[in-house]
Amino acid sequence: MTDLVNYQLEDGVATITISNGKANALSHEVFEALGLAFDRAEEDKAVVILTGQPGILSGGYDLKEMQKGPKEASALVTVGSRFTRRLAAFPLPVIAACSGHAIAKGAFVLLSVDYRIGIEGDFKLGLNEVAIGMTMHHAGIEIARHRLSPAHFYRSVVNAEIFSPEGAVQAGFLDEVVAPDRLMKRANELAQQFRKLNMKAHEQTKRKAKAGYLELLDDCILKDAENLGLTG
């Protein structure tokens, strides 16, 4: 689709790959391209595999944009929150094939999809916001609370603890870990399993199961925007 986000459709599975520099940073341009890719997956009625470059899913928001000033940083965070909200309610199954590190917004992506596969190795996953001087936004807190175990929620959000892939399974960032050379094979195996689901039932059950969470997330995104001066 673009140099930043690639879309490949095969056997009813859309593989969406983020490719934006060493950190696979999430910028306005990347989020725009991701939005178009997910639009296309929805049109294709495809199960989605979301992945990154070898060694990294994403290191989080684009620091160049975040360092421009509070207003610019807040605008990017709002766009990112809306994207993860879309992931949480996407009408078709979404699998994250985590190809290495997943930090900050990269980890929030893991917390927002239906199934997460990581790989063995010296990789770091987690929420480092407090460690780098950022007060966690309301949406981020609720995204983490929704998916992490209670003990790991506090350790992740308040203490900014970072986990190995195996530790990330225990915390709730990942569902399983495989050898690096098996990542995409395993993701495609799961995608074919998910294709056997009744997609109408999947969508309706997902929305019903997450109804309260999605309503809370909408309120948090609005609250964050108001607090950060992004609403009129």
Side-chain angles (χ1 to χ4, degrees):
M1 295 187 66
T2 71
D3 291 338
L4 300 174
V5 174
N6 179 263
Y7 183 96
Q8 290 187 319
L9 180 67
E10 186 175 353
D11 295 331
V13 178
T15 300
I16 299 173
T17 305
I18 304 168
S19 181
N20 185 28
K22 184 178 179 180
N24 239 12
L26 298 171
S27 62
H28 284 290
E29 293 77 14
V30 171
F31 282 123
E32 182 179 0
L34 283 170
L36 292 173
F38 275 86
D39 287 345
R40 185 170 169 184
E42 196 164 350
E43 291 172 3
D44 290 335
K45 294 181 171 55
V47 173
V48 173
I49 297 172
L50 179 61
T51 191
Q53 301 181 87
I56 189 165
L57 177 66
S58 176
Y61 289 122
D62 186 343
L63 289 180
K64 291 180 182 178
E65 187 69 21
M66 296 293 285
Q67 292 169 352
K68 286 181 180 178
K71 186 174 183 180
E72 289 82 1
S74 301
L76 185 57
V77 169
T78 299
V79 170
S81 293
R82 288 172 179 160
F83 174 69
T84 42
R85 197 273 186 207
R86 183 181 186 186
L87 287 180
F90 198 68
L92 296 139
V94 181
I95 299 163
C98 184
S99 48
H101 302 293
I103 297 294
K105 192 61 185 180
F108 280 122
V109 168
L110 295 177
L111 295 173
S112 302
V113 301
D114 297 303
Y115 199 89
R116 299 80 45 88
I117 311 166
I119 57 173
E120 299 166 350
D122 187 20
F123 298 112
K124 298 179 179 180
L125 300 93
L127 309 174
N128 69 340
E129 281 80 356
V130 168
I132 62 173
M134 294 179 63
T135 300
M136 188 71 76
H137 54 308
H138 293 93
I141 290 171
E142 296 308 328
I143 293 170
R145 194 196 312 274
H146 177 69
R147 206 64 180 273
L148 297 177
S149 74
H152 288 93
F153 164 74
Y154 192 93
R155 288 163 58 182
S156 297
V157 172
V158 180
N159 296 351
E161 184 173 340
I162 302 298
F163 301 92
S164 67
E166 291 75 17
V169 173
Q170 296 298 316
F173 288 103
L174 296 174
D175 293 296
E176 64 176 278
V177 173
V178 299
D181 61 358
R182 290 205 68 246
L183 177 63
M184 296 312 295
K185 181 179 180 181
R186 176 60 179 151
N188 276 284
E189 287 174 354
L190 279 170
Q192 292 303 325
Q193 290 180 29
F194 288 157
R195 284 189 67 207
K196 298 175 183 178
L197 297 173
N198 180 297
M199 292 305 170
K200 182 177 180 180
H202 171 81
E203 176 185 7
Q204 292 180 345
T205 302
K206 182 187 289 187
R207 289 187 177 275
K208 186 180 292 186
K210 294 184 175 182
Y213 166 65
L214 293 172
E215 183 177 351
L216 175 60
L217 197 53
D218 287 336
D219 290 342
C220 286
I221 292 171
L222 180 60
K223 185 184 296 184
D224 286 332
E226 290 173 343
N227 290 347
L228 299 170
L230 296 179
T231 58

